[in-house]
PDB file of all heavy atoms in Angstrom:
ATOM      1  N   LYS A   1      15.565   2.765   5.348  1.00 97.00           N
ATOM      2  CA  LYS A   1      15.543   3.328   3.996  1.00 97.00           C
ATOM      3  C   LYS A   1      16.447   4.535   3.816  1.00 97.00           C
ATOM      4  O   LYS A   1      16.496   5.104   2.720  1.00 97.00           O
ATOM      5  CB  LYS A   1      14.111   3.735   3.636  1.00 97.00           C
ATOM      6  CG  LYS A   1      13.128   2.591   3.613  1.00 97.00           C
ATOM      7  CD  LYS A   1      11.720   3.106   3.304  1.00 97.00           C
ATOM      8  CE  LYS A   1      10.689   2.001   3.281  1.00 97.00           C
ATOM      9  NZ  LYS A   1       9.325   2.512   2.988  1.00 97.00           N
ATOM     10  N   ILE A   2      17.168   4.944   4.863  1.00 97.00           N
ATOM     11  CA  ILE A   2      17.949   6.174   4.780  1.00 97.00           C
ATOM     12  C   ILE A   2      18.937   6.152   3.622  1.00 97.00           C
ATOM     13  O   ILE A   2      19.222   7.183   3.000  1.00 97.00           O
ATOM     14  CB  ILE A   2      18.687   6.446   6.121  1.00 97.00           C
ATOM     15  CG1 ILE A   2      19.284   7.854   6.136  1.00 97.00           C
ATOM     16  CG2 ILE A   2      19.754   5.402   6.379  1.00 97.00           C
ATOM     17  CD1 ILE A   2      18.297   8.944   6.340  1.00 97.00           C
ATOM     18  N   GLY A   3      19.447   4.977   3.299  1.00 96.00           N
ATOM     19  CA  GLY A   3      20.403   4.868   2.202  1.00 96.00           C
ATOM     20  C   GLY A   3      19.812   5.171   0.847  1.00 96.00           C
ATOM     21  O   GLY A   3      20.547   5.463  -0.109  1.00 96.00           O
ATOM     22  N   SER A   4      18.489   5.099   0.728  1.00 96.00           N
ATOM     23  CA  SER A   4      17.833   5.337  -0.562  1.00 96.00           C
ATOM     24  C   SER A   4      17.454   6.798  -0.772  1.00 96.00           C
ATOM     25  O   SER A   4      16.968   7.153  -1.852  1.00 96.00           O
ATOM     26  CB  SER A   4      16.574   4.467  -0.675  1.00 96.00           C
ATOM     27  OG  SER A   4      15.589   4.884   0.265  1.00 96.00           O
ATOM     28  N   LEU A   5      17.656   7.637   0.240  1.00 96.00           N
ATOM     29  CA  LEU A   5      17.299   9.058   0.109  1.00 96.00           C
ATOM     30  C   LEU A   5      18.326   9.748  -0.780  1.00 96.00           C
ATOM     31  O   LEU A   5      19.480   9.937  -0.402  1.00 96.00           O
ATOM     32  CB  LEU A   5      17.253   9.715   1.496  1.00 96.00           C
ATOM     33  CG  LEU A   5      16.897  11.200   1.535  1.00 96.00           C
ATOM     34  CD1 LEU A   5      15.554  11.467   0.864  1.00 96.00           C
ATOM     35  CD2 LEU A   5      16.893  11.710   2.976  1.00 96.00           C
ATOM     36  N   ARG A   6      17.894  10.161  -1.960  1.00 94.00           N
ATOM     37  CA  ARG A   6      18.810  10.733  -2.947  1.00 94.00           C
ATOM     38  C   ARG A   6      19.095  12.207  -2.714  1.00 94.00           C
ATOM     39  O   ARG A   6      20.130  12.714  -3.148  1.00 94.00           O
ATOM     40  CB  ARG A   6      18.247  10.529  -4.355  1.00 94.00           C
ATOM     41  CG  ARG A   6      18.131   9.061  -4.750  1.00 94.00           C
ATOM     42  CD  ARG A   6      17.632   8.914  -6.181  1.00 94.00           C
ATOM     43  NE  ARG A   6      17.546   7.518  -6.574  1.00 94.00           N
ATOM     44  CZ  ARG A   6      17.143   7.103  -7.768  1.00 94.00           C
ATOM     45  NH1 ARG A   6      16.783   8.013  -8.684  1.00 94.00           N
ATOM     46  NH2 ARG A   6      17.086   5.824  -8.060  1.00 94.00           N
ATOM     47  N   ASP A   7      18.173  12.915  -2.083  1.00 94.00           N
ATOM     48  CA  ASP A   7      18.356  14.341  -1.819  1.00 94.00           C
ATOM     49  C   ASP A   7      18.407  14.544  -0.308  1.00 94.00           C
ATOM     50  O   ASP A   7      17.369  14.733   0.336  1.00 94.00           O
ATOM     51  CB  ASP A   7      17.204  15.141  -2.433  1.00 94.00           C
ATOM     52  CG  ASP A   7      17.434  16.645  -2.348  1.00 94.00           C
ATOM     53  OD1 ASP A   7      18.414  17.053  -1.680  1.00 94.00           O
ATOM     54  OD2 ASP A   7      16.636  17.407  -2.920  1.00 94.00           O
ATOM     55  N   PRO A   8      19.589  14.495   0.298  1.00 95.00           N
ATOM     56  CA  PRO A   8      19.692  14.578   1.762  1.00 95.00           C
ATOM     57  C   PRO A   8      19.054  15.824   2.369  1.00 95.00           C
ATOM     58  O   PRO A   8      18.586  15.784   3.502  1.00 95.00           O
ATOM     59  CB  PRO A   8      21.208  14.566   2.003  1.00 95.00           C
ATOM     60  CG  PRO A   8      21.777  13.858   0.813  1.00 95.00           C
ATOM     61  CD  PRO A   8      20.901  14.295  -0.325  1.00 95.00           C
ATOM     62  N   GLU A   9      19.031  16.936   1.616  1.00 91.00           N
ATOM     63  CA  GLU A   9      18.430  18.158   2.153  1.00 91.00           C
ATOM     64  C   GLU A   9      16.914  18.036   2.315  1.00 91.00           C
ATOM     65  O   GLU A   9      16.305  18.839   3.016  1.00 91.00           O
ATOM     66  CB  GLU A   9      18.753  19.348   1.245  1.00 91.00           C
ATOM     67  CG  GLU A   9      20.220  19.748   1.263  1.00 91.00           C
ATOM     68  CD  GLU A   9      20.472  21.017   0.473  1.00 91.00           C
ATOM     69  OE1 GLU A   9      19.489  21.600  -0.044  1.00 91.00           O
ATOM     70  OE2 GLU A   9      21.635  21.430   0.374  1.00 91.00           O
ATOM     71  N   ARG A  10      16.324  17.029   1.709  1.00 92.00           N
ATOM     72  CA  ARG A  10      14.878  16.835   1.771  1.00 92.00           C
ATOM     73  C   ARG A  10      14.491  15.821   2.841  1.00 92.00           C
ATOM     74  O   ARG A  10      13.394  15.259   2.804  1.00 92.00           O
ATOM     75  CB  ARG A  10      14.367  16.359   0.406  1.00 92.00           C
ATOM     76  CG  ARG A  10      14.685  17.291  -0.735  1.00 92.00           C
ATOM     77  CD  ARG A  10      13.845  18.533  -0.698  1.00 92.00           C
ATOM     78  NE  ARG A  10      12.432  18.240  -0.941  1.00 92.00           N
ATOM     79  CZ  ARG A  10      11.454  19.111  -0.756  1.00 92.00           C
ATOM     80  NH1 ARG A  10      11.721  20.324  -0.308  1.00 92.00           N
ATOM     81  NH2 ARG A  10      10.206  18.782  -1.020  1.00 92.00           N
ATOM     82  N   PHE A  11      15.370  15.603   3.816  1.00 95.00           N
ATOM     83  CA  PHE A  11      15.077  14.599   4.840  1.00 95.00           C
ATOM     84  C   PHE A  11      13.756  14.884   5.545  1.00 95.00           C
ATOM     85  O   PHE A  11      12.960  13.970   5.774  1.00 95.00           O
ATOM     86  CB  PHE A  11      16.203  14.550   5.885  1.00 95.00           C
ATOM     87  CG  PHE A  11      15.874  13.632   7.037  1.00 95.00           C
ATOM     88  CD1 PHE A  11      16.064  12.265   6.928  1.00 95.00           C
ATOM     89  CD2 PHE A  11      15.352  14.135   8.229  1.00 95.00           C
ATOM     90  CE1 PHE A  11      15.736  11.410   7.974  1.00 95.00           C
ATOM     91  CE2 PHE A  11      15.032  13.295   9.286  1.00 95.00           C
ATOM     92  CZ  PHE A  11      15.224  11.930   9.148  1.00 95.00           C
ATOM     93  N   GLY A  12      13.500  16.140   5.919  1.00 93.00           N
ATOM     94  CA  GLY A  12      12.299  16.470   6.682  1.00 93.00           C
ATOM     95  C   GLY A  12      11.012  16.062   5.983  1.00 93.00           C
ATOM     96  O   GLY A  12      10.221  15.284   6.533  1.00 93.00           O
ATOM     97  N   PRO A  13      10.758  16.567   4.761  1.00 93.00           N
ATOM     98  CA  PRO A  13       9.542  16.155   4.059  1.00 93.00           C
ATOM     99  C   PRO A  13       9.482  14.653   3.809  1.00 93.00           C
ATOM    100  O   PRO A  13       8.407  14.051   3.875  1.00 93.00           O
ATOM    101  CB  PRO A  13       9.618  16.938   2.744  1.00 93.00           C
ATOM    102  CG  PRO A  13      10.457  18.133   3.066  1.00 93.00           C
ATOM    103  CD  PRO A  13      11.463  17.651   4.060  1.00 93.00           C
ATOM    104  N   TRP A  14      10.631  14.053   3.516  1.00 95.00           N
ATOM    105  CA  TRP A  14      10.688  12.602   3.295  1.00 95.00           C
ATOM    106  C   TRP A  14      10.263  11.845   4.545  1.00 95.00           C
ATOM    107  O   TRP A  14       9.449  10.911   4.482  1.00 95.00           O
ATOM    108  CB  TRP A  14      12.111  12.230   2.881  1.00 95.00           C
ATOM    109  CG  TRP A  14      12.375  10.773   2.676  1.00 95.00           C
ATOM    110  CD1 TRP A  14      11.981  10.004   1.616  1.00 95.00           C
ATOM    111  CD2 TRP A  14      13.125   9.911   3.543  1.00 95.00           C
ATOM    112  NE1 TRP A  14      12.443   8.708   1.778  1.00 95.00           N
ATOM    113  CE2 TRP A  14      13.138   8.629   2.944  1.00 95.00           C
ATOM    114  CE3 TRP A  14      13.786  10.107   4.755  1.00 95.00           C
ATOM    115  CZ2 TRP A  14      13.796   7.541   3.525  1.00 95.00           C
ATOM    116  CZ3 TRP A  14      14.427   9.027   5.342  1.00 95.00           C
ATOM    117  CH2 TRP A  14      14.443   7.757   4.734  1.00 95.00           C
ATOM    118  N   ALA A  15      10.785  12.240   5.694  1.00 96.00           N
ATOM    119  CA  ALA A  15      10.428  11.590   6.954  1.00 96.00           C
ATOM    120  C   ALA A  15       8.961  11.823   7.298  1.00 96.00           C
ATOM    121  O   ALA A  15       8.261  10.925   7.773  1.00 96.00           O
ATOM    122  CB  ALA A  15      11.333  12.090   8.082  1.00 96.00           C
ATOM    123  N   MET A  16       8.481  13.049   7.061  1.00 94.00           N
ATOM    124  CA  MET A  16       7.072  13.350   7.313  1.00 94.00           C
ATOM    125  C   MET A  16       6.163  12.476   6.443  1.00 94.00           C
ATOM    126  O   MET A  16       5.101  12.017   6.883  1.00 94.00           O
ATOM    127  CB  MET A  16       6.791  14.824   7.032  1.00 94.00           C
ATOM    128  CG  MET A  16       7.385  15.789   8.028  1.00 94.00           C
ATOM    129  SD  MET A  16       6.425  15.859   9.564  1.00 94.00           S
ATOM    130  CE  MET A  16       7.177  17.284  10.348  1.00 94.00           C
ATOM    131  N   ARG A  17       6.570  12.237   5.214  1.00 94.00           N
ATOM    132  CA  ARG A  17       5.765  11.400   4.321  1.00 94.00           C
ATOM    133  C   ARG A  17       5.692   9.966   4.863  1.00 94.00           C
ATOM    134  O   ARG A  17       4.631   9.321   4.787  1.00 94.00           O
ATOM    135  CB  ARG A  17       6.373  11.412   2.917  1.00 94.00           C
ATOM    136  CG  ARG A  17       5.626  10.539   1.901  1.00 94.00           C
ATOM    137  CD  ARG A  17       4.257  11.111   1.592  1.00 94.00           C
ATOM    138  NE  ARG A  17       3.537  10.301   0.625  1.00 94.00           N
ATOM    139  CZ  ARG A  17       3.649  10.415  -0.686  1.00 94.00           C
ATOM    140  NH1 ARG A  17       4.497  11.310  -1.200  1.00 94.00           N
ATOM    141  NH2 ARG A  17       2.940   9.668  -1.493  1.00 94.00           N
ATOM    142  N   ILE A  18       6.777   9.469   5.388  1.00 96.00           N
ATOM    143  CA  ILE A  18       6.770   8.126   5.963  1.00 96.00           C
ATOM    144  C   ILE A  18       5.813   8.063   7.150  1.00 96.00           C
ATOM    145  O   ILE A  18       5.034   7.116   7.304  1.00 96.00           O
ATOM    146  CB  ILE A  18       8.202   7.702   6.365  1.00 96.00           C
ATOM    147  CG1 ILE A  18       9.056   7.503   5.106  1.00 96.00           C
ATOM    148  CG2 ILE A  18       8.175   6.422   7.193  1.00 96.00           C
ATOM    149  CD1 ILE A  18      10.517   7.196   5.385  1.00 96.00           C
ATOM    150  N   VAL A  19       5.858   9.092   8.012  1.00 95.00           N
ATOM    151  CA  VAL A  19       4.929   9.137   9.145  1.00 95.00           C
ATOM    152  C   VAL A  19       3.487   9.210   8.645  1.00 95.00           C
ATOM    153  O   VAL A  19       2.600   8.528   9.179  1.00 95.00           O
ATOM    154  CB  VAL A  19       5.249  10.342  10.061  1.00 95.00           C
ATOM    155  CG1 VAL A  19       4.168  10.509  11.123  1.00 95.00           C
ATOM    156  CG2 VAL A  19       6.602  10.150  10.728  1.00 95.00           C
ATOM    157  N   THR A  20       3.253  10.038   7.633  1.00 93.00           N
ATOM    158  CA  THR A  20       1.908  10.148   7.068  1.00 93.00           C
ATOM    159  C   THR A  20       1.391   8.779   6.631  1.00 93.00           C
ATOM    160  O   THR A  20       0.252   8.395   6.932  1.00 93.00           O
ATOM    161  CB  THR A  20       1.910  11.108   5.861  1.00 93.00           C
ATOM    162  OG1 THR A  20       2.288  12.414   6.304  1.00 93.00           O
ATOM    163  CG2 THR A  20       0.544  11.176   5.209  1.00 93.00           C
ATOM    164  N   ASN A  21       2.231   8.033   5.924  1.00 93.00           N
ATOM    165  CA  ASN A  21       1.812   6.715   5.443  1.00 93.00           C
ATOM    166  C   ASN A  21       1.559   5.748   6.593  1.00 93.00           C
ATOM    167  O   ASN A  21       0.606   4.952   6.556  1.00 93.00           O
ATOM    168  CB  ASN A  21       2.862   6.155   4.495  1.00 93.00           C
ATOM    169  CG  ASN A  21       2.924   6.918   3.181  1.00 93.00           C
ATOM    170  OD1 ASN A  21       1.965   7.576   2.781  1.00 93.00           O
ATOM    171  ND2 ASN A  21       4.061   6.854   2.507  1.00 93.00           N
ATOM    172  N   LYS A  22       2.389   5.783   7.626  1.00 93.00           N
ATOM    173  CA  LYS A  22       2.187   4.900   8.781  1.00 93.00           C
ATOM    174  C   LYS A  22       0.881   5.236   9.490  1.00 93.00           C
ATOM    175  O   LYS A  22       0.148   4.336   9.933  1.00 93.00           O
ATOM    176  CB  LYS A  22       3.364   5.015   9.749  1.00 93.00           C
ATOM    177  CG  LYS A  22       4.700   4.509   9.205  1.00 93.00           C
ATOM    178  CD  LYS A  22       4.653   3.030   8.910  1.00 93.00           C
ATOM    179  CE  LYS A  22       5.994   2.523   8.380  1.00 93.00           C
ATOM    180  NZ  LYS A  22       5.948   1.083   8.032  1.00 93.00           N
ATOM    181  N   CYS A  23       0.581   6.531   9.615  1.00 92.00           N
ATOM    182  CA  CYS A  23      -0.659   6.932  10.273  1.00 92.00           C
ATOM    183  C   CYS A  23      -1.877   6.524   9.457  1.00 92.00           C
ATOM    184  O   CYS A  23      -2.906   6.117  10.017  1.00 92.00           O
ATOM    185  CB  CYS A  23      -0.661   8.444  10.507  1.00 92.00           C
ATOM    186  SG  CYS A  23       0.502   8.996  11.779  1.00 92.00           S
ATOM    187  N   ARG A  24      -1.764   6.620   8.159  1.00 89.00           N
ATOM    188  CA  ARG A  24      -2.877   6.184   7.314  1.00 89.00           C
ATOM    189  C   ARG A  24      -3.085   4.683   7.427  1.00 89.00           C
ATOM    190  O   ARG A  24      -4.229   4.196   7.381  1.00 89.00           O
ATOM    191  CB  ARG A  24      -2.627   6.611   5.872  1.00 89.00           C
ATOM    192  CG  ARG A  24      -2.821   8.113   5.671  1.00 89.00           C
ATOM    193  CD  ARG A  24      -2.405   8.588   4.300  1.00 89.00           C
ATOM    194  NE  ARG A  24      -2.685  10.015   4.145  1.00 89.00           N
ATOM    195  CZ  ARG A  24      -2.194  10.766   3.172  1.00 89.00           C
ATOM    196  NH1 ARG A  24      -1.398  10.236   2.259  1.00 89.00           N
ATOM    197  NH2 ARG A  24      -2.500  12.053   3.102  1.00 89.00           N
ATOM    198  N   ASP A  25      -2.000   3.937   7.598  1.00 90.00           N
ATOM    199  CA  ASP A  25      -2.136   2.498   7.835  1.00 90.00           C
ATOM    200  C   ASP A  25      -2.911   2.234   9.118  1.00 90.00           C
ATOM    201  O   ASP A  25      -3.783   1.356   9.170  1.00 90.00           O
ATOM    202  CB  ASP A  25      -0.749   1.845   7.924  1.00 90.00           C
ATOM    203  CG  ASP A  25      -0.043   1.770   6.583  1.00 90.00           C
ATOM    204  OD1 ASP A  25      -0.724   1.928   5.542  1.00 90.00           O
ATOM    205  OD2 ASP A  25       1.188   1.558   6.576  1.00 90.00           O
ATOM    206  N   VAL A  26      -2.583   2.984  10.176  1.00 88.00           N
ATOM    207  CA  VAL A  26      -3.273   2.826  11.458  1.00 88.00           C
ATOM    208  C   VAL A  26      -4.756   3.136  11.294  1.00 88.00           C
ATOM    209  O   VAL A  26      -5.622   2.405  11.793  1.00 88.00           O
ATOM    210  CB  VAL A  26      -2.648   3.751  12.529  1.00 88.00           C
ATOM    211  CG1 VAL A  26      -3.512   3.770  13.793  1.00 88.00           C
ATOM    212  CG2 VAL A  26      -1.233   3.285  12.865  1.00 88.00           C
ATOM    213  N   ARG A  27      -5.078   4.208  10.597  1.00 84.00           N
ATOM    214  CA  ARG A  27      -6.479   4.596  10.422  1.00 84.00           C
ATOM    215  C   ARG A  27      -7.246   3.560   9.609  1.00 84.00           C
ATOM    216  O   ARG A  27      -8.403   3.250   9.910  1.00 84.00           O
ATOM    217  CB  ARG A  27      -6.560   5.974   9.768  1.00 84.00           C
ATOM    218  CG  ARG A  27      -6.315   7.104  10.767  1.00 84.00           C
ATOM    219  CD  ARG A  27      -5.843   8.369  10.133  1.00 84.00           C
ATOM    220  NE  ARG A  27      -6.647   8.801   9.011  1.00 84.00           N
ATOM    221  CZ  ARG A  27      -6.332   9.835   8.238  1.00 84.00           C
ATOM    222  NH1 ARG A  27      -5.213  10.519   8.470  1.00 84.00           N
ATOM    223  NH2 ARG A  27      -7.096  10.199   7.245  1.00 84.00           N
ATOM    224  N   ARG A  28      -6.594   2.982   8.581  1.00 85.00           N
ATOM    225  CA  ARG A  28      -7.271   1.959   7.793  1.00 85.00           C
ATOM    226  C   ARG A  28      -7.575   0.726   8.640  1.00 85.00           C
ATOM    227  O   ARG A  28      -8.654   0.142   8.543  1.00 85.00           O
ATOM    228  CB  ARG A  28      -6.411   1.571   6.586  1.00 85.00           C
ATOM    229  CG  ARG A  28      -6.532   2.525   5.410  1.00 85.00           C
ATOM    230  CD  ARG A  28      -5.944   1.914   4.150  1.00 85.00           C
ATOM    231  NE  ARG A  28      -4.505   1.711   4.277  1.00 85.00           N
ATOM    232  CZ  ARG A  28      -3.596   2.599   3.900  1.00 85.00           C
ATOM    233  NH1 ARG A  28      -3.985   3.763   3.392  1.00 85.00           N
ATOM    234  NH2 ARG A  28      -2.318   2.349   4.019  1.00 85.00           N
ATOM    235  N   LYS A  29      -6.629   0.345   9.491  1.00 83.00           N
ATOM    236  CA  LYS A  29      -6.842  -0.815  10.350  1.00 83.00           C
ATOM    237  C   LYS A  29      -7.988  -0.579  11.318  1.00 83.00           C
ATOM    238  O   LYS A  29      -8.760  -1.482  11.625  1.00 83.00           O
ATOM    239  CB  LYS A  29      -5.564  -1.142  11.117  1.00 83.00           C
ATOM    240  CG  LYS A  29      -4.433  -1.673  10.244  1.00 83.00           C
ATOM    241  CD  LYS A  29      -3.165  -1.871  11.056  1.00 83.00           C
ATOM    242  CE  LYS A  29      -2.011  -2.335  10.175  1.00 83.00           C
ATOM    243  NZ  LYS A  29      -0.743  -2.445  10.944  1.00 83.00           N
TER     244      LYS A  29
END
């Protein structure tokens, strides 16, 4: 999804959000 990141300076929070969502998927399972 890196190509869809419109604000490159916001990479950190964007990446953290992806990790957050993946972890929530694990917890739901």
